[in-house]
Amino acid sequence: MGSKKTVCLSEEDPAIQRLIVMILEQDGIQATICPSGEELLGAISATSPDLALVDVGIPAEPTVGVIARIRAQFPTPVMAMSAGGDAAVAHACIQAGADDYLLKPFDPDTLLDRVGFLLGQPPAAERDTAVLSAGSIRLNFLDRSLTVGGRRVLISRTEWDILHTLARNAREPVFHGDLTRVAFDPELRNDAEYLRRWVERLQAKIGQDRGNRERLRPFHDVAYILDVSPIPAG
């Protein structure tokens, strides 16, 4: 059995802090509490955790700055959390380099699902068991992983939900609303700009085909197309 996954947690509310630690540790994930942004940066530098879990308070700017510093200095994945459903905060976190964003309050299963994605942990059960290959892109629906050119690429739950939906409808336009409905919290589902930011990140991860065409491209400002010919693989 491999060693425990480790998470550095920055959360100011003691009650939520204790709740998150309990949820993570019950799933075998070791959590280290970092009361401030500077302590979080120091802990990441000293221990190289598998994930940084960062609460974004009000005002958001100090914490968003910490996320940007983590992204600039360390390979550690970052998941941002905040309360209130402020779209500007969500945009700022993603722009700063957070790998995923979670609105509070959340249920334990949602937290573990999103954390598990960034830790590379396969789900306990998954209905999809196929592998979908399309050129150099390979989506494994069993362990919910993405490889491009034989290299595994870090992907968040939000990115997976978008890419999975597009892959299931490859070469067909998928409307913005259909993508946001499966990938975003209700407070963010009408935000086309937020969707565009996530799609741009996926475009950078999956690249272009050999003819230098965009594999993932917009369709008349109302939809996106994953322009590949999928080949199911056993």
Side-chain angles (χ1 to χ4, degrees):
M1 181 179 294
S3 59
K4 274 189 174 184
K5 295 290 186 178
T6 58
V7 171
C8 283
L9 168 65
S10 177
E11 166 61 63
E12 291 186 355
D13 187 313
I16 297 178
Q17 185 185 96
R18 290 193 296 270
L19 176 62
I20 292 174
V21 170
M22 181 184 70
I23 292 170
L24 294 176
E25 292 188 343
Q26 285 181 346
D27 206 52
I29 301 167
Q30 181 179 329
T32 299
I33 298 170
C34 304
S36 70
E38 290 302 323
E39 288 174 283
L40 176 62
L41 289 161
I44 293 172
S45 178
T47 66
S48 299
D50 297 297
L51 176 67
L53 192 54
V54 185
D55 177 58
V56 181
I58 298 174
E61 288 80 5
T63 315
V64 170
V66 170
I67 293 172
R69 289 172 65 186
I70 295 172
R71 180 54 57 244
Q73 298 176 41
F74 308 106
T76 305
V78 179
M79 189 169 81
M81 308 175 292
S82 76
D86 189 335
V89 173
H91 281 257
C93 291
I94 300 308
Q95 186 69 20
D99 295 284
D100 207 352
Y101 176 79
L102 178 63
L103 275 173
K104 297 190 294 184
F106 46 77
D107 62 74
D109 288 341
T110 298
L111 176 66
L112 289 174
D113 184 56
R114 289 176 178 265
V115 166
F117 254 89
L118 294 175
L119 293 178
Q121 295 177 326
E126 181 68 43
R127 286 175 298 175
D128 286 319
T129 57
V131 174
L132 185 71
S133 294
S136 62
I137 303 172
R138 186 176 175 89
L139 289 171
N140 188 319
F141 298 137
L142 180 59
D143 65 8
R144 302 184 300 192
S145 64
L146 166 68
T147 57
V148 180
R151 180 177 62 87
R152 185 158 178 159
V153 176
L154 177 70
I155 189 168
S156 69
R157 175 73 206 210
T158 300
E159 291 167 325
W160 174 264
D161 285 340
I162 294 171
L163 192 56
H164 179 271
T165 303
L166 289 164
R168 287 298 191 191
N169 298 276
R171 308 199 80 175
E172 297 290 336
V174 182
F175 289 100
H176 293 172
D178 294 323
L179 292 171
T180 61
R181 192 159 35 251
V182 298
F184 298 160
D185 291 300
E187 295 89 338
L188 296 166
R189 286 178 185 168
N190 294 321
D191 193 336
E193 177 65 16
Y194 189 58
L195 175 62
R196 185 184 66 80
R197 289 182 184 274
W198 282 107
V199 169
E200 286 178 348
R201 292 176 62 154
L202 280 170
Q203 287 172 321
K205 289 184 177 184
I206 66 176
Q208 298 175 316
D209 66 15
R210 291 181 180 178
N212 292 320
R213 296 174 302 181
E214 286 186 320
R215 286 175 169 144
L216 174 52
R217 57 182 175 81
F219 179 81
H220 295 301
D221 295 325
V222 296
Y224 287 99
I225 293 176
L226 185 63
D227 195 6
V228 294
S229 298
I231 306 170

